[in-house]
Amino acid sequence: MTYEQEKFWPCQSSNPAHTIGGGSKRTLNPQTTAISELNDERSFCVCNEEGCVRGGFALLGGEPLLNPHVIEHLHLAREMWPNANLMLFTNGFFLDRHPDLPATLVEIDCRLEVSQHGTHEPYLARFNEARKTVWQWRADYPGIQIKIRQSHRGWMRQYQVEDGKPMPFDSNPAAAFKICMQKTCTQLFRTCLFKCPALAYHALMEQRLRIETLPAWQLFRDYKACPPSSTDDDLRSFVETKAIPQCGLCPSKRVPFKHPNPTQRSVIR
């Protein structure tokens, strides 16, 4: 099995609950943000003598609709994963940039997942415009699949803050894995599979925030992703493994997070 990276563009809305160090995803270089694969024992695409078991493949970001070639990526994803439950996640702010999107979603059988990031009035005014657009698509494009996700209701704090810098937790790895929001979000990034977004993009976060020398994050730096040269046995082991030592740097208890205004960037807090 081989993997190919497809690049997507970073999210423009600030969200300290985002899963790479609490929100630095909004700062990622658009040339390094990747398609992401969502899987666990129930949705990972496993191939055997009878063919491929239907799984799930999601195009995430950042914000995929900032990529002017997103339609091409959608067709490519369907070509490469013909039996998968294909999903496109978006904040809904840039639907107007892609007039062919609704027809494409129907053509390739891809579900549109529109994520709501908060309830702040200026944000809701903009989000409601996106909601109206997709509701109109439902009327105009029979068969289109659209889901509005109340994503903000499940956000939790992913880091601690000391002297204005994100710092990891000191948790029991198994306890942290049990409540983890990322455990079904394996990342296909730079041709390798990473267990979760936090591990995949940690190096980018460190560079942006200039915390490469903080020893508290060393376990994340030591993590080894699953490369294209992996055997089928390596892949099965990767998929079946639950908690790993790096999970201990994440929280073991859910602490809800509410962003004051998702349309504005905020300091790490």
Side-chain angles (χ1 to χ4, degrees), residues 134-175:
V134 297
W135 282 177
Q136 188 61 50
W137 287 1
R138 280 185 169 176
D140 296 341
Y141 296 89
I144 195 168
Q145 303 172 70
I146 299 172
K147 180 179 178 180
I148 304 292
R149 300 173 61 92
Q150 306 294 317
S151 302
H152 62 292
R153 293 181 178 177
W155 283 346
M156 56 181 279
R157 182 166 289 282
Q158 290 295 123
Y159 64 95
Q160 304 178 96
V161 176
E162 295 179 12
D163 298 324
K165 298 178 180 178
M167 297 295 290
F169 286 84
D170 183 12
S171 301
N172 175 281

Side-chain angles (χ1 to χ4, degrees), residues 92-150:
F93 285 2
F94 304 101
L95 298 171
D96 60 329
R97 296 189 182 185
H98 304 279
D100 295 331
L101 180 58
T104 299
L105 295 172
V106 174
E107 176 188 352
I108 66 172
D109 189 24
C110 177
R111 185 170 76 245
L112 183 68
E113 302 265 349
V114 184
S115 297
Q116 182 176 341
H117 290 177
T119 57
H120 194 272
E121 287 189 9
Y123 166 78
L124 278 180
R126 190 171 180 185
F127 184 77
N128 285 336
E129 290 301 314
R131 196 195 307 264
K132 292 177 183 177
T133 296
V134 297
W135 282 177
Q136 188 61 50
W137 287 1
R138 280 185 169 176
D140 296 341
Y141 296 89
I144 195 168
Q145 303 172 70
I146 299 172
K147 180 179 178 180
I148 304 292
R149 300 173 61 92
Q150 306 294 317

Side-chain angles (χ1 to χ4, degrees), residues 87-265:
M87 296 162 280
L88 172 65
F89 284 74
T90 177
N91 61 26
F93 285 2
F94 304 101
L95 298 171
D96 60 329
R97 296 189 182 185
H98 304 279
D100 295 331
L101 180 58
T104 299
L105 295 172
V106 174
E107 176 188 352
I108 66 172
D109 189 24
C110 177
R111 185 170 76 245
L112 183 68
E113 302 265 349
V114 184
S115 297
Q116 182 176 341
H117 290 177
T119 57
H120 194 272
E121 287 189 9
Y123 166 78
L124 278 180
R126 190 171 180 185
F127 184 77
N128 285 336
E129 290 301 314
R131 196 195 307 264
K132 292 177 183 177
T133 296
V134 297
W135 282 177
Q136 188 61 50
W137 287 1
R138 280 185 169 176
D140 296 341
Y141 296 89
I144 195 168
Q145 303 172 70
I146 299 172
K147 180 179 178 180
I148 304 292
R149 300 173 61 92
Q150 306 294 317
S151 302
H152 62 292
R153 293 181 178 177
W155 283 346
M156 56 181 279
R157 182 166 289 282
Q158 290 295 123
Y159 64 95
Q160 304 178 96
V161 176
E162 295 179 12
D163 298 324
K165 298 178 180 178
M167 297 295 290
F169 286 84
D170 183 12
S171 301
N172 175 281
F177 181 84
K178 184 177 181 179
I179 61 101
C180 181
M181 297 190 303
Q182 307 180 46
K183 61 186 175 184
T184 60
C185 297
T186 300
Q187 302 290 292
L188 176 56
F189 180 59
R190 292 179 175 171
T191 74
C192 293
L193 287 177
F194 290 76
K195 189 173 184 66
C196 64
L199 289 168
Y201 310 118
H202 181 76
L204 298 175
M205 181 196 77
E206 284 200 324
Q207 294 171 10
R208 172 67 181 184
L209 301 180
R210 301 179 181 178
I211 58 172
E212 298 99 324
T213 59
L214 285 179
W217 290 106
Q218 190 58 45
L219 261 179
F220 269 34
R221 299 185 193 107
D222 294 340
Y223 175 79
K224 303 298 183 184
C226 192
S229 58
S230 298
T231 65
D232 286 349
D233 287 341
D234 292 335
L235 288 170
R236 290 190 181 93
S237 177
F238 175 86
V239 172
E240 293 170 0
T241 299
K242 297 186 182 298
I244 59 175
Q246 285 78 6
C247 296
L249 302 191
C250 294
S252 58
K253 296 181 180 180
R254 290 184 179 273
V255 178
F257 178 85
K258 182 178 180 180
H259 198 291
N261 184 354
T263 63
Q264 296 181 359
R265 297 193 178 195

